Amino acid sequence: MRWSSGSVRRAPELALAAVLAVAACPAAADLAFVTCQNGDALSVLDLETGEETARWTVPGKPAGVAVAPDGTVYTVAPDAKTVRRHDPKGTVLAEARLDGGPMGAALDAARSHLFVSDWYNARLWVLDAGTLEVLTELPAGAAPAGLALSPDGRLLAAAERDADRVSLYDAETLTLARTVPVGTRPFGLGFAPDGRLFVGNVGSNDVTVLDPASGERLATLPVGERPYGVAFAAGRAFVSNQYAGTVSVIALDTLAPLAEITVGEYPEGIAATSDGQIVVANWFDNTLSLVNAQTLEVSAEMDTADGPRAFGAFVRATGD
């Protein structure tokens, strides 16, 4: 395990806040389930100790991941065209081969649905979260990738890279509610705690902010090169920038840029811990960076298996 401090490029108005910020508290005893594409593996990391506590074999170059509150883990392996349901120890409880290009995943635990995007065939699969049986398919735009469920569980959002748009579905009726044009080549996305949707556009190096209920585009925010994923903590949005090796920080109240934090090489998956810190998977460095969401300092780097992607909701609080 490697521990280091990352460098931060701060907006001027953040300087005083940084001085007054409280010292970083240790991460909650959360677990990160990190899909590692090059290594055909999943690394399980204790975010309090920084230790890799287990490494599962997951054939087929896993990328997409979703973790249930009870510790069940779903992985999506595009090369094997396979979705798997694992228990918290890694045992495969169910698996399904999907004829297409499975990529992203989002879990609706309340309705026992697992949504999986089909990169090649412009559709989403709706799977039974227990058996992984395909229940139905939803039409989507070209090359759907990232998926996210709204905080109230009402809406499913899909980033459709080659359509330059987002589709929003009613999660109860499984019907299309609306489509919204965004920036160029949207890939990852996430709902803020207040319900707004933030979409990372890898082709235009910006983030589109939407009101998902109305479809109104609220803002377009420039970030670093090739924004990939979005997470939220401490009243801020955090955006991983693949080519820049950084995380952009945006104030949720004003949508103003606050900082750009240097992390590992080619950061991709990003998520918040239960105590409001940010975890970033660095694909080319084989590391996970832990960022204090208050001070905006990188407090730790943890080793993973080869090629961490962690595309989805990959952090679970052990108290859940």
Side-chain angles (χ1 to χ4, degrees):
M1 179 175 62
R2 298 191 293 273
W3 301 87
S4 69
S5 294
S7 60
V8 180
R9 296 192 290 277
R10 300 177 185 277
E13 63 271 18
L14 192 63
L16 179 60
V19 172
L20 298 176
V22 295
C25 29
D30 292 359
L31 295 177
F33 295 86
V34 182
T35 44
C36 298
Q37 193 165 50
N38 300 346
D40 286 322
L42 183 147
S43 287
V44 183
L45 292 109
D46 183 316
L47 296 179
E48 184 174 36
T49 66
E51 297 297 331
E52 184 184 44
T53 61
R55 184 175 293 188
W56 307 345
T57 297
V58 184
K61 309 300 179 189
V65 61
V67 180
D70 67 359
T72 301
V73 179
Y74 298 87
T75 59
V76 181
D79 280 20
K81 302 180 184 295
T82 299
V83 177
R84 299 178 177 92
R85 180 168 71 92
H86 310 255
D87 72 11
K89 299 298 185 182
T91 301
V92 176
L93 303 175
E95 68 178 55
R97 180 178 170 84
L98 301 177
D99 186 17
M103 174 65 70
L107 177 66
D108 183 349
R111 301 179 181 91
S112 193
H113 288 162
L114 181 71
F115 300 99
V116 179
S117 56
D118 184 352
W119 180 261
Y120 294 140
N121 296 302
R123 62 181 172 179
L124 309 181
W125 289 284
V126 184
L127 308 183
D128 181 283
T131 65
L132 300 185
E133 175 189 0
V134 177
L135 302 177
T136 191
E137 297 175 3
L138 307 179
L147 303 175
L149 194 70
S150 63
D152 62 9
R154 294 182 179 181
L155 291 173
L156 172 73
E160 298 164 347
R161 193 196 70 162
D162 291 352
D164 295 336
R165 74 179 198 188
V166 167
S167 285
L168 291 153
Y169 303 84
D170 185 307
E172 177 65 34
T173 64
L174 300 179
T175 56
L176 180 66
R178 63 189 54 83
T179 61
V180 185
V182 291
T184 305
R185 295 170 61 196
F187 196 84
L189 74 179
F191 285 93
D194 64 7
R196 286 177 296 175
L197 182 64
F198 286 62
V199 185
N201 304 304
V202 300
S204 48
N205 297 331
D206 53 31
V207 169
T208 304
V209 184
L210 306 176
D211 177 348
S214 66
E216 179 186 0
R217 286 180 289 176
L218 304 174
T220 300
L221 311 173
V223 291
E225 192 173 4
R226 297 296 189 269
Y228 183 90
V230 187
F232 306 90
R236 296 158 174 173
F238 295 80
V239 183
S240 56
N241 303 310
Q242 290 175 316
Y243 285 15
T246 63
V247 170
S248 293
V249 187
I250 300 162
L252 288 180
D253 54 356
T254 64
L255 298 182
L258 295 179
E260 193 168 330
I261 306 167
T262 298
V263 288
E265 188 176 2
Y266 221 83
E268 295 207 339
I270 186 168
T273 67
S274 62
D275 69 343
Q277 299 196 70
I278 295 295
V279 187
V280 188
N282 304 306
W283 188 15
F284 286 3
D285 275 356
N286 299 337
T287 61
L288 207 65
S289 296
L290 186 65
V291 178
N292 185 289
Q294 293 286 350
T295 65
L296 306 184
E297 297 290 341
V298 177
S299 57
E301 288 184 353
M302 311 169 193
D303 293 324
T304 68
D306 190 16
R309 300 292 302 275
F311 185 40
F314 64 95
V315 171
R316 175 188 177 244
T318 56
D320 285 356

